[in-house]
Amino acid sequence: GNVAPDLSWERLSTLGVVALREPVSISQLASDGNVGASAISRTVAALQQRTLVRCVRSSDDHRSVLVFTTAKG
C-alpha cells in the first residue's frame, strides 16, 4: 500500500535510506544525502511525528542517535 502519499521527496528518500541501512545515524544520513545534520534532523523529526521512524541514542556513542523504521514505516 501507499504509506504516505503526501510525503515530500526528501522525506520519502530519507525513509528509504533508513529502511535499507537501519540502524543508521543522523550523521550517516546527512553524509549520504549530502546535506547538513540540522536539515536531516528536521526531516527525521518530521518522520518521527508521523511514527514512520524511531530514534534511539547509541549505546556506543551517546552523542550519536540511531534511526530505525517503525512497523508503520
Side-chain angles (χ1 to χ4, degrees), residues 25-70:
S25 70
I26 295 286
S27 59
Q28 286 173 315
L29 286 171
S31 175
D32 289 355
N34 204 21
V35 295
S38 61
I40 206 70
S41 292
R42 284 191 300 273
T43 300
V44 169
L47 293 171
Q48 256 189 305
Q49 284 182 324
R50 299 180 85 136
T51 65
L52 296 172
V53 299
R54 64 186 176 90
C55 294
V56 178
R57 192 152 304 274
S58 172
S59 57
D60 296 333
D61 179 357
H62 292 289
R63 295 168 301 170
S64 180
V65 173
L66 300 176
V67 185
F68 298 81
T69 56
T70 62

